[in-house]
Amino acid sequence: MRPSAAQIGQRDRLHETVSARLEERILGGDLQVGDKLDSESAIAREFGVSTRAVREAIQTLVTKGLVARRHGAPTTVVRQDVGEFLDTLAVSVRQRLSSDQSYLEELMAARRMIETEVLGMLCGRPDPIAAPVTEALVAMRKARDAADFPGFVNADAAFHLALVHSAGNRILSIMYDNFAALINEVIQLSSRVLSKSLEDAYDEHAEIYDRVRNRDGAGAVTLVRAQIDHSATRLRIAIEKTRTEEKRDG
Protein backbone atom coordinates (compact mmCIF):
# COMPACT_ATOMS: atom_id res chain seq x y z
CA MET A 1 0.00 0.00 0.00
CA ARG A 2 1.37 3.39 -0.99
CA PRO A 3 1.94 5.91 1.84
CA SER A 4 -0.60 8.67 2.18
CA ALA A 5 0.25 12.34 1.71
CA ALA A 6 0.04 12.81 5.48
CA GLN A 7 2.53 9.98 6.06
CA ILE A 8 4.95 11.42 3.48
CA GLY A 9 4.65 14.85 5.08
CA GLN A 10 5.36 13.45 8.52
CA ARG A 11 8.42 11.56 7.24
CA ASP A 12 9.73 14.72 5.59
CA ARG A 13 9.36 16.63 8.84
CA LEU A 14 11.18 13.88 10.73
CA HIS A 15 14.20 13.81 8.43
CA GLU A 16 14.29 17.63 8.33
CA THR A 17 14.35 17.70 12.12
CA VAL A 18 17.20 15.20 12.29
CA SER A 19 19.11 17.04 9.56
CA ALA A 20 18.69 20.38 11.33
CA ARG A 21 19.87 18.99 14.68
CA LEU A 22 22.96 17.36 13.17
CA GLU A 23 23.74 20.52 11.22
CA GLU A 24 23.59 22.55 14.44
CA ARG A 25 26.11 20.20 16.03
CA ILE A 26 28.47 20.51 13.05
CA LEU A 27 28.25 24.28 12.68
CA GLY A 28 28.37 24.75 16.44
CA GLY A 29 31.58 22.77 16.72
CA ASP A 30 30.22 19.82 18.69
CA LEU A 31 31.12 17.71 15.67
CA GLN A 32 34.51 18.62 14.21
CA VAL A 33 35.96 18.02 10.76
CA GLY A 34 37.04 14.37 10.62
CA ASP A 35 34.59 13.18 13.28
CA LYS A 36 32.48 10.16 12.46
CA LEU A 37 28.72 10.23 12.84
CA ASP A 38 27.07 7.47 14.82
CA SER A 39 25.55 4.62 12.86
CA GLU A 40 22.20 5.22 11.21
CA SER A 41 20.53 2.88 13.69
CA ALA A 42 22.08 4.73 16.67
CA ILE A 43 20.94 8.10 15.30
CA ALA A 44 17.49 6.65 14.65
CA ARG A 45 17.24 5.51 18.27
CA GLU A 46 18.44 8.89 19.56
CA PHE A 47 15.80 10.83 17.66
CA GLY A 48 13.08 8.17 17.71
CA VAL A 49 12.80 7.98 13.94
CA SER A 50 13.25 5.33 11.29
CA THR A 51 16.62 4.59 9.70
CA ARG A 52 15.09 5.74 6.42
CA ALA A 53 14.51 9.19 7.90
CA VAL A 54 18.12 9.22 9.10
CA ARG A 55 19.41 8.26 5.62
CA GLU A 56 17.40 11.12 4.10
CA ALA A 57 18.69 13.51 6.75
CA ILE A 58 22.30 12.53 6.08
CA GLN A 59 21.77 12.92 2.34
CA THR A 60 20.66 16.50 3.02
CA LEU A 61 23.91 17.10 4.90
CA VAL A 62 25.89 15.53 2.05
CA THR A 63 24.21 17.88 -0.41
CA LYS A 64 25.16 20.85 1.77
CA GLY A 65 28.77 19.69 1.85
CA LEU A 66 28.78 19.15 5.61
CA VAL A 67 29.42 15.40 5.62
CA ALA A 68 30.69 12.73 3.25
CA ARG A 69 29.78 9.09 3.17
CA ARG A 70 31.20 6.12 1.31
CA HIS A 71 29.84 2.63 1.04
CA GLY A 72 30.93 0.52 3.98
CA ALA A 73 32.49 3.45 5.86
CA PRO A 74 31.13 5.73 8.59
CA THR A 75 29.73 9.11 7.58
CA THR A 76 32.42 11.74 8.20
CA VAL A 77 32.18 15.45 8.92
CA VAL A 78 33.97 17.34 6.13
CA ARG A 79 32.76 20.87 6.74
CA GLN A 80 35.45 23.37 5.84
CA ASP A 81 35.93 26.33 8.15
CA VAL A 82 35.35 29.88 7.00
CA GLY A 83 38.97 30.43 6.04
CA GLU A 84 39.10 27.33 3.85
CA PHE A 85 35.79 28.20 2.25
CA LEU A 86 36.93 31.72 1.41
CA ASP A 87 40.24 30.40 0.12
CA THR A 88 38.27 28.27 -2.32
CA LEU A 89 36.17 31.31 -3.18
CA ALA A 90 39.32 33.34 -3.88
CA VAL A 91 40.54 30.64 -6.26
CA SER A 92 37.17 30.74 -8.03
CA VAL A 93 37.38 34.51 -8.39
CA ARG A 94 40.92 34.24 -9.73
CA GLN A 95 39.72 31.76 -12.34
CA ARG A 96 36.95 34.14 -13.39
CA LEU A 97 39.46 36.99 -13.66
CA SER A 98 41.26 35.14 -16.43
CA SER A 99 38.17 35.28 -18.62
CA ASP A 100 36.40 38.39 -17.33
CA GLN A 101 38.61 41.20 -16.14
CA SER A 102 35.62 43.24 -14.97
CA TYR A 103 35.90 41.04 -11.89
CA LEU A 104 38.95 43.12 -10.96
CA GLU A 105 36.79 46.19 -10.63
CA GLU A 106 34.26 44.24 -8.57
CA LEU A 107 37.10 43.11 -6.33
CA MET A 108 38.01 46.76 -5.82
CA ALA A 109 34.42 47.49 -4.81
CA ALA A 110 34.52 44.66 -2.26
CA ARG A 111 37.84 45.98 -0.98
CA ARG A 112 36.35 49.44 -0.55
CA MET A 113 33.43 48.06 1.44
CA ILE A 114 35.69 46.15 3.84
CA GLU A 115 38.26 48.89 4.33
CA THR A 116 35.79 51.72 4.90
CA GLU A 117 33.87 49.59 7.40
CA VAL A 118 37.12 48.83 9.22
CA LEU A 119 38.05 52.51 9.44
CA GLY A 120 34.80 53.26 11.22
CA MET A 121 35.53 50.49 13.72
CA LEU A 122 39.10 51.68 14.35
CA CYS A 123 38.22 55.34 14.79
CA GLY A 124 35.80 54.45 17.56
CA ARG A 125 38.67 53.20 19.74
CA PRO A 126 40.90 55.11 22.17
CA ASP A 127 44.03 53.73 20.46
CA PRO A 128 43.12 53.03 16.82
CA ILE A 129 46.60 52.46 15.39
CA ALA A 130 48.19 49.02 15.79
CA ALA A 131 51.96 48.50 15.50
CA PRO A 132 51.81 46.67 12.11
CA VAL A 133 50.09 49.70 10.56
CA THR A 134 52.94 51.94 11.71
CA GLU A 135 55.51 49.40 10.52
CA ALA A 136 53.94 49.29 7.05
CA LEU A 137 53.98 53.09 6.81
CA VAL A 138 57.65 53.13 7.83
CA ALA A 139 58.37 50.54 5.13
CA MET A 140 56.61 52.78 2.61
CA ARG A 141 58.76 55.72 3.63
CA LYS A 142 61.96 53.70 3.28
CA ALA A 143 60.89 52.43 -0.14
CA ARG A 144 60.05 55.99 -1.17
CA ASP A 145 63.47 57.26 -0.09
CA ALA A 146 65.18 54.41 -1.94
CA ALA A 147 63.01 54.90 -5.06
CA ASP A 148 62.09 51.23 -4.64
CA PHE A 149 58.85 51.02 -6.59
CA PRO A 150 58.14 47.26 -6.08
CA GLY A 151 58.96 47.60 -2.38
CA PHE A 152 56.65 50.57 -2.08
CA VAL A 153 53.77 48.69 -3.70
CA ASN A 154 54.25 45.74 -1.34
CA ALA A 155 54.33 48.07 1.67
CA ASP A 156 51.20 49.79 0.33
CA ALA A 157 49.35 46.45 0.32
CA ALA A 158 50.73 45.63 3.79
CA PHE A 159 49.45 48.96 5.13
CA HIS A 160 45.88 48.23 4.08
CA LEU A 161 46.10 44.62 5.29
CA ALA A 162 47.37 45.78 8.68
CA LEU A 163 44.47 48.23 9.01
CA VAL A 164 41.97 45.43 8.41
CA HIS A 165 43.71 43.08 10.84
CA SER A 166 43.92 45.71 13.57
CA ALA A 167 40.11 45.95 13.63
CA GLY A 168 40.11 42.55 15.34
CA ASN A 169 37.12 41.25 13.37
CA ARG A 170 38.06 37.69 12.50
CA ILE A 171 35.57 37.31 9.67
CA LEU A 172 36.65 40.52 7.92
CA SER A 173 40.29 39.54 8.43
CA ILE A 174 39.74 36.08 6.95
CA MET A 175 37.90 37.56 3.99
CA TYR A 176 40.60 40.13 3.35
CA ASP A 177 43.42 37.61 3.88
CA ASN A 178 42.06 35.29 1.25
CA PHE A 179 41.82 38.08 -1.28
CA ALA A 180 45.01 39.86 -0.19
CA ALA A 181 47.11 38.30 -2.96
CA LEU A 182 44.55 39.39 -5.55
CA ILE A 183 44.40 42.87 -4.06
CA ASN A 184 48.20 43.07 -4.18
CA GLU A 185 48.10 42.12 -7.85
CA VAL A 186 45.48 44.79 -8.46
CA ILE A 187 47.69 47.39 -6.76
CA GLN A 188 50.66 46.22 -8.85
CA LEU A 189 48.65 46.41 -12.07
CA SER A 190 47.01 49.76 -11.39
CA SER A 191 50.35 51.24 -10.30
CA ARG A 192 51.73 50.67 -13.78
CA VAL A 193 49.70 53.68 -14.80
CA LEU A 194 51.80 56.31 -13.10
CA SER A 195 49.68 59.25 -12.00
CA LYS A 196 51.56 60.23 -8.87
CA SER A 197 55.08 60.11 -7.49
CA LEU A 198 56.11 57.85 -4.64
CA GLU A 199 56.36 61.03 -2.58
CA ASP A 200 52.71 61.89 -3.24
CA ALA A 201 51.61 58.28 -2.71
CA TYR A 202 53.40 58.17 0.64
CA ASP A 203 51.90 61.50 1.73
CA GLU A 204 48.45 60.16 0.87
CA HIS A 205 48.91 57.14 3.12
CA ALA A 206 50.48 59.22 5.86
CA GLU A 207 47.39 61.43 5.86
CA ILE A 208 45.13 58.38 6.15
CA TYR A 209 47.30 57.23 9.05
CA ASP A 210 46.98 60.61 10.78
CA ARG A 211 43.21 60.70 10.29
CA VAL A 212 42.84 57.26 11.85
CA ARG A 213 45.21 58.09 14.70
CA ASN A 214 43.17 61.22 15.43
CA ARG A 215 39.96 59.17 15.20
CA ASP A 216 38.67 61.23 12.28
CA GLY A 217 36.56 58.43 10.85
CA ALA A 218 34.74 60.49 8.22
CA GLY A 219 37.98 62.01 6.95
CA ALA A 220 39.78 58.66 6.82
CA VAL A 221 36.89 57.01 4.98
CA THR A 222 36.78 59.82 2.42
CA LEU A 223 40.50 59.49 1.74
CA VAL A 224 40.48 55.70 1.44
CA ARG A 225 37.39 55.67 -0.75
CA ALA A 226 38.96 58.24 -3.07
CA GLN A 227 42.23 56.30 -3.10
CA ILE A 228 40.56 53.01 -4.04
CA ASP A 229 38.33 54.69 -6.63
CA HIS A 230 41.38 56.36 -8.17
CA SER A 231 43.14 53.00 -8.22
CA ALA A 232 40.11 51.49 -9.96
CA THR A 233 40.29 54.18 -12.64
CA ARG A 234 43.99 53.48 -13.18
CA LEU A 235 43.14 49.79 -13.24
CA ARG A 236 40.74 50.28 -16.13
CA ILE A 237 43.41 52.18 -18.02
CA ALA A 238 45.99 49.48 -17.32
CA ILE A 239 43.62 46.72 -18.48
CA GLU A 240 42.82 48.58 -21.68
CA LYS A 241 46.52 49.20 -22.28
CA THR A 242 47.25 45.50 -21.80
CA ARG A 243 44.48 44.51 -24.21
CA THR A 244 45.74 46.94 -26.82
CA GLU A 245 49.27 45.59 -26.52
CA GLU A 246 48.04 42.01 -26.79
CA LYS A 247 46.07 42.81 -29.94
CA ARG A 248 49.07 44.59 -31.44
CA ASP A 249 51.48 41.76 -30.60
CA GLY A 250 48.98 39.11 -31.66
Side-chain angles (χ1 to χ4, degrees), residues 25-82:
R25 293 177 185 177
I26 294 171
L27 298 180
D30 294 329
L31 289 170
Q32 301 287 329
V33 174
D35 286 350
K36 311 297 183 184
L37 297 188
D38 292 335
S39 67
E40 291 181 358
S41 58
I43 295 174
R45 287 194 299 272
E46 177 185 355
F47 290 101
V49 299
S50 67
T51 54
R52 178 172 181 174
V54 172
R55 283 194 296 273
E56 291 175 348
I58 291 176
Q59 183 56 47
T60 298
L61 299 178
V62 170
T63 301
K64 291 184 176 183
L66 296 175
V67 301
R69 61 179 175 183
R70 288 178 293 187
H71 182 70
T75 300
T76 305
V77 177
V78 296
R79 179 185 68 87
Q80 295 178 323
D81 64 23
V82 175

Side-chain angles (χ1 to χ4, degrees), residues 185-211:
E185 290 173 15
V186 166
I187 293 174
Q188 294 275 1
L189 181 59
S190 61
S191 295
R192 294 176 189 173
V193 181
L194 296 176
S195 60
K196 65 179 71 174
S197 66
L198 293 185
E199 181 74 33
D200 289 341
Y202 172 80
D203 289 345
E204 186 177 86
H205 286 80
E207 186 175 359
I208 292 170
Y209 179 93
D210 288 340
R211 294 288 180 96

Side-chain angles (χ1 to χ4, degrees), residues 6-238:
Q7 290 172 320
I8 294 174
Q10 182 182 27
R11 190 177 69 207
D12 287 344
R13 286 191 297 274
L14 290 174
H15 97 257
E16 288 170 2
T17 297
V18 174
S19 174
R21 293 287 298 279
L22 292 175
E23 182 173 346
E24 286 175 6
R25 293 177 185 177
I26 294 171
L27 298 180
D30 294 329
L31 289 170
Q32 301 287 329
V33 174
D35 286 350
K36 311 297 183 184
L37 297 188
D38 292 335
S39 67
E40 291 181 358
S41 58
I43 295 174
R45 287 194 299 272
E46 177 185 355
F47 290 101
V49 299
S50 67
T51 54
R52 178 172 181 174
V54 172
R55 283 194 296 273
E56 291 175 348
I58 291 176
Q59 183 56 47
T60 298
L61 299 178
V62 170
T63 301
K64 291 184 176 183
L66 296 175
V67 301
R69 61 179 175 183
R70 288 178 293 187
H71 182 70
T75 300
T76 305
V77 177
V78 296
R79 179 185 68 87
Q80 295 178 323
D81 64 23
V82 175
E84 292 171 327
F85 168 75
L86 287 170
D87 183 60
T88 301
L89 179 59
V91 171
S92 299
V93 171
R94 184 183 296 277
Q95 292 171 341
R96 292 297 298 269
L97 291 178
S98 64
S99 59
D100 183 1
Q101 291 188 346
S102 67
Y103 262 64
L104 285 170
E105 294 187 56
E106 294 179 18
L107 176 63
M108 297 291 275
R111 174 191 170 194
R112 182 172 58 245
M113 292 176 194
I114 293 174
E115 290 193 29
T116 54
E117 179 67 23
V118 161
L119 291 174
M121 297 167 65
L122 293 178
C123 291
R125 298 178 178 178
D127 186 12
I129 295 291
V133 180
T134 302
E135 291 165 4
L137 188 66
V138 169
M140 292 179 73
R141 185 179 70 243
K142 291 180 178 178
R144 175 205 65 186
D145 294 344
D148 177 6
F149 181 79
F152 187 92
V153 172
N154 287 333
D156 180 345
F159 177 85
H160 292 275
L161 181 64
L163 281 173
V164 173
H165 278 194
S166 61
N169 185 298
R170 288 174 295 176
I171 300 301
L172 287 179
S173 292
I174 289 171
M175 291 174 66
Y176 203 91
D177 283 351
N178 281 279
F179 289 103
L182 284 173
I183 291 172
N184 191 297
E185 290 173 15
V186 166
I187 293 174
Q188 294 275 1
L189 181 59
S190 61
S191 295
R192 294 176 189 173
V193 181
L194 296 176
S195 60
K196 65 179 71 174
S197 66
L198 293 185
E199 181 74 33
D200 289 341
Y202 172 80
D203 289 345
E204 186 177 86
H205 286 80
E207 186 175 359
I208 292 170
Y209 179 93
D210 288 340
R211 294 288 180 96
V212 175
R213 183 178 59 186
N214 295 324
R215 298 193 295 278
D216 177 8
V221 166
T222 297
L223 287 173
V224 167
R225 183 179 289 120
Q227 184 184 79
I228 295 175
D229 287 346
H230 188 202
S231 183
T233 299
R234 287 183 284 129
L235 176 62
R236 286 192 291 270
I237 296 172

Side-chain angles (χ1 to χ4, degrees), residues 237-250:
I237 296 172
I239 290 173
E240 188 56 38
K241 181 180 179 181
T242 300
R243 287 175 175 169
T244 300
E245 290 174 352
E246 288 175 349
K247 288 179 181 178
R248 183 190 62 206
D249 296 340

